[in-house]
Amino acid sequence: MKAIFDPRQLEHGPETYFRRGAEMPHPEQPRRAILIRDMLQENGFPVEAPRDFGLDPIRAVHDPDYVEFFRDAHARFRADAPPDALAIPTTHPGPRRGRCPADIHGAMGWWMTDTSTPLTEGTWDAIYWSAQSAIEAAEHVVNGEPMVYALSRPPGHHAMAAAANGFCFFNNACIAAHHLTRRWKKVALLDIDVHTGNGSLDILYERGDILFISLHPDPAGYPTFFLGHEDETGEGEGAGTCRNLLLPMGASQDVVLEALDQALEMIRDFGTEALIVSLGFDMAADDPLAAVGVHPDGFAEMGRRITALGLPTVLVQEGGYLGPSLAQNACSFLTACREEL
């Protein structure tokens, strides 16, 4: 099983962001990808650079004006900002689809949105090549490879059709899922990052050809808030094709695996022909943003059960931060997938 990664994905370098009212170090660091890339090379996974598929696959799921905005957004900000200013928004539009949560920090975000996607000099190149890595992985699967891993960084599953959110700019998993529909009529996107795939839900909510399933704690009290409730199941042609499986805070590994089994049954029932996995190692018990308790052996079991579906599969990296077991969790999951193929 090969992996796709481009070193330009390391050029987005946020230093700080605001969380719960305080400025703090940004957890979405280039070192995340370096640790996983090095693990891949040490364990015999071929790592290839993506080709340039251009902007059309990105524009297929994102508002073209939104995509174009990022090309020179940092330069425009720097030209008009004080020297030490943090490139984050300080004025915000009204709310989008979703609901105001009970949590005060979530309620503030409903009206104020978030500060987690500061622009840096290398943001455009990083997000562009992160998306290209996902597209390249999808292209390999379209052409017959059974499973390919896209080490996409920055991550993407919180990015909506026209809004950056939760460390994410371009929704790499949705871009890859749409790419798979060139060959297959029924695609599933399974999100096993600990946070709701709110951006993917936003993008896919009215699509009937892509089944979206996300495992995550209740967004009424856990980031990224707003979207990901059990009764949000899609609209129009997408009615019934979005499913949110809520985990209790602190859920054990066994509880997470039970929810995964529910998701896999839904994928089978949909008649899925190809699969995208939004892969988050922040399900780990020792992740800095931990909310549930998965361990390396649990990630290996998740990999085995997903691979046992026997579907053409693209794995797209989402969260998983600089906790002590990040590389080990990635190794456990990906090695199990490789052994199961």
Side-chain angles (χ1 to χ4, degrees):
M1 182 174 69
K2 69 180 57 172
I4 310 297
F5 176 73
D6 191 290
R8 283 169 284 193
Q9 295 171 219
L10 304 175
E11 294 180 13
H12 174 63
E15 295 181 0
T16 61
Y17 78 128
F18 291 92
R19 185 179 179 203
R20 297 188 177 273
E23 186 175 10
M24 60 182 61
H26 203 296
E28 204 291 286
Q29 291 297 311
R31 182 160 175 75
R32 299 175 57 238
I34 293 170
L35 287 170
I36 297 176
R37 179 202 62 192
D38 291 351
M39 178 282 296
L40 292 167
Q41 294 172 336
E42 291 165 4
N43 287 275
F45 290 90
V47 180
E48 299 181 1
R51 291 166 288 178
D52 189 347
F53 292 87
L55 288 172
D56 284 349
I58 302 173
R59 293 183 183 126
V61 302
H62 287 291
D63 183 311
D65 291 338
Y66 168 77
V67 174
E68 191 62 27
F69 163 77
F70 288 106
R71 190 191 297 272
D72 63 353
H74 180 261
R76 289 167 57 196
F77 177 86
R78 288 263 59 93
D80 194 46
D84 297 327
L86 182 63
I88 59 172
T90 53
T91 57
H92 306 281
R96 297 181 173 88
R97 177 186 286 137
R99 66 185 71 175
C100 186
D103 182 283
I104 180 58
H105 300 285
M108 291 170 64
W110 175 254
W111 301 117
M112 301 167 67
T113 70
D114 81 11
T115 65
S116 73
T117 52
L119 300 169
T120 73
E121 186 174 0
T123 296
W124 170 258
D125 280 346
I127 64 178
Y128 181 85
W129 288 102
S130 184
Q132 299 303 320
S133 289
I135 299 163
E136 181 70 76
E139 182 69 7
H140 279 283
V141 170
V142 165
N143 289 326
E145 295 194 36
M147 180 177 286
V148 180
Y149 169 58
L151 178 47
S152 291
R153 185 273 160 186
H157 72 143
H158 300 311
M160 303 178 199
N165 178 259
F167 311 161
C168 302
F169 299 85
F170 294 156
N171 195 309
N172 307 307
C174 283
I175 293 166
H178 182 78
H179 199 73
L180 292 187
T181 63
R182 296 168 56 222
R183 175 173 176 182
W184 292 288
K185 294 182 178 180
K186 286 195 170 186
V187 173
L189 199 171
L190 171 63
D191 192 314
I192 56 171
D193 185 283
V194 76
H195 303 92
T196 176
N198 59 314
S200 301
L201 189 65
D202 174 73
I203 291 169
L204 301 176
Y205 208 68
E206 298 181 9
R207 288 192 65 157
D209 58 339
I210 301 176
L211 172 69
F212 174 69
I213 307 172
S214 179
L215 282 60
H216 54 266
D218 190 339
Y222 185 68
T224 55
F225 306 119
F226 317 129
L227 285 173
H229 299 272
E230 285 183 309
D231 61 353
E232 293 165 347
T233 58
E235 292 179 354
E237 292 183 5
T241 62
C242 292
R243 299 296 300 270
N244 296 292
L245 304 182
L246 301 191
L247 303 170
M249 288 294 291
S252 69
Q253 182 166 290
D254 287 343
V255 170
V256 173
L257 289 171
E258 288 174 5
L260 176 63
D261 284 342
Q262 292 180 49
L264 299 180
E265 189 62 31
M266 293 172 186
I267 289 168
R268 295 185 188 97
D269 290 345
F270 184 66
T272 301
E273 299 169 300
L275 177 66
I276 302 285
V277 178
S278 275
L279 178 57
F281 297 122
D282 46 6
M283 283 269 191
D286 62 2
D287 189 89
L289 303 181
V292 302
V294 180
H295 301 279
D297 64 314
F299 283 109
E301 184 59 25
M302 294 172 84
R304 282 190 286 270
R305 294 185 190 188
I306 290 168
T307 308
L309 287 171
L311 295 170
T313 300
V314 179
L315 307 171
V316 180
Q317 188 60 50
E318 302 289 0
Y321 301 97
L322 294 173
S325 68
L326 173 60
Q328 184 182 4
N329 293 329
C331 184
S332 294
F333 184 97
L334 295 170
T335 300
C337 292
R338 180 171 62 181
E339 291 174 349
E340 190 73 21
L341 287 172

